[in-house]
Amino acid sequence: MVKRIAALVVAVVALILLFSSLFIVKEGEYKVVLRFSEAVRIHTEPGMKFKVPFIESVTSLPKYQIIYDDNKPTEILTKDKKPIKVDNYTVWRITQPQQFLRTLKTISSAEARIGDNVYSTVRRKLSEIEYGDIISENTARGDLNVEITREVAETAERQNYGIQIVDVRIKRTDLPEENKDSVYERMISDRQSIAAGYLSEGDEESRKITASADRQARELMAKAESEAKKIVAEGEQEAARIYNEAYGKDTNFYQLYRTLESYVTTIQDETVIMLPIDSPYTRMLLGRE
């Protein structure tokens, strides 16, 4: 009977030892085995694992990416001294669980340290940019997010926390209610000034183009008139040559033609002409020529 009880006790103790030495690693987590609060092993693959009972303990850390967003907008001054409220979030992950436990220990302390680094970097970056550029330039906002992410990631790597900063994004930038009207009026005034400058430059360019076109038109007209006069002169010269050639073939006909032309020029309306009986006109009229 005693032996049976002893065997039962041994079996129970063995089961207790067995169950206390087993643990399960789930998908998406690190299992860190601690011995006297010091990490000795890290399990990353899912499955059943073993530890030394009563001497070793196990703690879990997330392997997946974590989004840190404290939802507490902070007030920052821009380059043109405009107070704005900035709200941002950070995506990060644990890459070295052992180092993470040695330096930061918990998720909450890690996010507190990340929040300090992000705030410091965002405040410095926005102090180098004017408010109008922050709210109106999407590309500038994109570049700003990239620069902030890079600097915060470099800081985390330099401090050797065992974490990786994946992304830092500014969600919104708002003006305090008491400053919105004055800033908006200033922005409208600035945009109107820029628009007036563009219009002035456009008018100046328009005048230059118009003057150039007018000058080219005058040059083309002068050239065309010169060409026209040259063509007319050449035509008149050719006509005179043809006339001379034609008239030279029949002198009497030419003389008759010239006489008739003189009649057209001389006798108009009710003109009265007295001619001597022996004048060429008289002989022509009397048919003596």
Side-chain angles (χ1 to χ4, degrees), residues 55-67:
I55 297 176
E56 295 179 340
S57 59
V58 177
T59 186
S60 299
L61 293 173
K63 187 192 294 185
Y64 49 79
Q65 293 183 352
I66 306 168
I67 298 177

Side-chain angles (χ1 to χ4, degrees), residues 91-254:
V91 180
W92 67 284
R93 60 189 297 266
I94 300 171
T95 55
Q96 302 175 44
Q98 192 169 358
Q99 183 65 18
F100 175 84
L101 290 173
R102 184 179 296 117
T103 56
L104 298 174
K105 301 185 185 310
T106 63
I107 299 295
S108 58
S109 63
E111 290 184 336
R113 191 66 56 87
I114 290 171
D116 291 341
N117 289 341
V118 170
Y119 171 73
S120 175
T121 304
V122 170
R123 181 180 59 184
R124 179 166 48 79
K125 283 294 183 182
L126 293 184
S127 67
E128 300 170 355
I129 303 174
E130 294 188 355
Y131 180 76
D133 295 331
I134 296 173
I135 66 171
S136 65
E137 297 292 337
N138 290 331
T139 53
R141 173 70 68 83
D143 292 342
L144 183 61
N145 288 328
V146 170
E147 291 179 10
I148 292 172
T149 300
R150 178 179 55 79
E151 292 197 13
V152 175
E154 289 176 354
T155 300
E157 184 177 357
R158 190 166 54 250
Q159 293 173 338
N160 196 21
Y161 290 144
I163 64 174
Q164 176 190 8
I165 302 299
V166 179
D167 195 15
V168 179
R169 292 280 163 178
I170 296 176
K171 294 195 296 184
R172 62 177 182 175
T173 50
D174 293 334
L175 285 167
E177 291 296 329
E178 62 272 16
N179 295 335
K180 282 186 177 180
D181 291 340
S182 62
V183 172
Y184 288 160
E185 289 176 2
R186 173 66 180 277
M187 289 173 62
I188 291 172
S189 176
D190 291 343
R191 294 305 182 269
Q192 288 176 343
S193 177
I194 293 172
Y198 287 152
L199 289 173
S200 177
E201 292 176 2
D203 290 341
E204 179 66 23
E205 190 66 21
S206 174
R207 285 193 291 270
K208 289 180 181 178
I209 294 172
T210 301
S212 177
D214 290 343
R215 184 178 67 255
Q216 293 179 11
R218 287 194 297 270
E219 291 175 355
L220 290 174
M221 289 294 294
K223 184 177 180 180
E225 290 176 356
S226 176
E227 290 291 334
K229 290 179 180 178
K230 182 179 179 181
I231 293 171
V232 170
E234 291 176 351
E236 290 177 347
Q237 184 177 358
E238 182 65 16
R241 184 189 67 76
I242 293 172
Y243 283 143
N244 291 334
E245 183 178 346
Y247 296 151
K249 293 181 178 181
D250 191 339
T251 306
N252 291 332
F253 174 76
Y254 176 68

Side-chain angles (χ1 to χ4, degrees), residues 44-74:
T44 61
E45 298 299 325
M48 185 173 292
K49 310 296 178 181
F50 293 91
K51 64 180 180 64
V52 178
F54 308 117
I55 297 176
E56 295 179 340
S57 59
V58 177
T59 186
S60 299
L61 293 173
K63 187 192 294 185
Y64 49 79
Q65 293 183 352
I66 306 168
I67 298 177
Y68 169 62
D69 186 352
D70 60 2
N71 291 317
K72 295 178 181 178
T74 55

